[in-house]
Amino acid sequence: MRVFIPGATGYVGSAIVIELLRAGHQVVGLARSDTSAAALARAGVAVHRGDLGDLGSLRAGAAGADGVIFAANKHISETTDPAARAQVELHAVEAIGAELEQTGKPFVVTSGVIGRTPGRLLTEETPAVPSAVTALRLPVEVSVLAMGERGVRSSSVRLAPTVHGQGDVRGFISMLIGVARATGVSAFVADGSNRWPAVHRRDAAVLFRLAVESAPPGTPLHAVAEEGVPFRHIAEAIGRRLELPTVSVTAEDAVQHFGPLAPLVSIDSPASSALTRERFGWAPAHPALIVDIEEGHYFRDPVV
């Protein structure tokens, strides 16, 4: 299969590339710069020039492929306006979907599980209802899954908030480590019993491959290896590695302590992947989150 991947040079996207190549697929990566193009070429990936705002380029990339994995995430990484970021991403997936209509080709989009059903276990069959955390980006997933009714084999891989592993220099764990270093303590909110799902980057990449190979139209898949790691355990692991005290902060003090992360650090957001494992034979095999933190690579010079 020839797979077109917007976001192929990213943290998750680059792992997907490796997984697909190992499985014998061909990969075409979207590159908006010479640097990205060179990185793709070194990895043995064909280069398609363009960016998420170039809808013609996206349509051309989709037209020349047997399937698409949308691993780009402009929503959190490009501009300062979250609503504008979400709109760019929505227009991008709609352009790709228009090109794939009535082809039966697979189109896999990246989404997330955090904040969908606070305090309740999220499953693959839980209805998608906008929340304060998900409202901006949920239309991207809804749009792609609906393409299953228009002749696209569409699916959504919902990532755990902590996609951990070597090279994670911008994710939540790295951000929490940065906060701990800046404040001199590793903190959690209240009693820290709120839960965050987790998945190793390489296990997530396997699920993307399974999705593009075999997911039926309109299917959500959960890239969740651990249903919910208590946030206090995450803070304690970071504190041990940095040799800093682990402390509780109040909900009122969380904004000052955690900054932009404050809306997320106290969310209790457990999620199940039982149906994904049953339907696709997905079996996470790489280290769990706390083990990965304690291994130490998060605290050494980053390797991307």
Side-chain angles (χ1 to χ4, degrees):
M1 185 182 294
R2 183 176 174 88
V3 184
F4 175 49
I5 307 183
T9 59
Y11 171 64
V12 174
S14 58
I16 297 170
V17 166
I18 293 170
E19 176 65 24
L20 290 175
L21 292 175
R22 286 175 175 169
H25 298 294
Q26 296 177 297
V27 179
V28 180
L30 183 71
R32 66 175 184 176
S33 68
D34 292 341
T35 300
S36 294
L40 291 171
R42 287 194 300 271
V45 174
V47 176
H48 181 85
R49 296 303 293 256
D51 60 40
L52 295 190
D54 185 348
L55 302 186
S57 175
L58 293 175
R59 292 186 67 145
D66 300 314
V68 179
I69 296 177
F70 193 86
N73 198 343
K74 195 177 183 72
H75 177 63
I76 63 170
S77 63
E78 295 291 331
T79 70
T80 57
D81 183 347
R85 294 196 294 260
Q87 281 300 303
V88 168
E89 196 170 297
L90 180 60
H91 293 325
V93 300
E94 289 178 341
I96 293 170
E99 192 63 41
L100 298 179
E101 280 194 16
Q102 305 308 322
T103 65
K105 293 179 180 179
F107 183 15
V108 185
V109 71
T110 306
S111 189
V113 300
I114 193 169
R116 287 179 180 252
T117 53
R120 295 185 292 113
L121 184 69
L122 176 75
T123 77
E124 295 87 341
E125 296 181 340
T126 304
V129 178
S131 70
V133 175
T134 67
L136 282 179
R137 196 166 183 267
L138 187 58
V140 173
E141 178 187 85
V142 171
S143 176
V144 173
L145 292 181
M147 294 172 191
E149 300 176 358
R150 304 199 302 274
V152 181
R153 188 161 60 78
S154 60
S155 61
S156 174
V157 173
R158 297 172 177 170
L159 293 168
T162 47
V163 183
H164 56 93
Q166 193 80 20
D168 178 15
V169 297
R170 295 184 181 179
F172 284 131
I173 298 302
S174 292
M175 295 171 73
L176 291 170
I177 291 168
V179 170
R181 283 174 164 153
T183 61
V185 296
S186 184
F188 53 88
V189 178
D191 66 359
S193 62
N194 59 296
R195 295 157 291 178
W196 272 20
V199 66
H200 194 281
R201 174 190 184 214
R202 292 172 64 183
D203 287 320
V206 171
L207 190 56
F208 276 95
R209 174 180 60 77
L210 293 172
V212 80
E213 289 176 345
S214 63
T219 301
L221 301 87
H222 282 191
V224 171
E226 296 175 271
E227 288 191 355
V229 182
F231 196 90
R232 179 170 185 158
H233 294 180
I234 299 172
E236 290 171 342
I238 291 171
R240 285 193 296 272
R241 290 296 312 191
L242 293 177
E243 297 183 346
L244 293 174
T246 302
V247 303
S248 170
V249 298
T250 65
E252 293 74 21
D253 290 338
V255 173
Q256 181 177 356
H257 185 87
F258 288 103
L261 288 177
L264 300 175
V265 294
S266 61
I267 287 180
D268 184 41
S269 194
S272 169
S273 61
L275 292 177
T276 295
R277 297 178 194 229
E278 177 184 341
R279 293 168 177 169
F280 300 97
W282 183 58
H286 291 90
L289 175 59
I290 300 304
V291 172
D292 204 21
I293 293 173
E294 292 179 336
E295 190 278 336
H297 62 83
Y298 275 102
F299 307 91
R300 298 191 289 267
D301 292 338
V303 177
V304 180

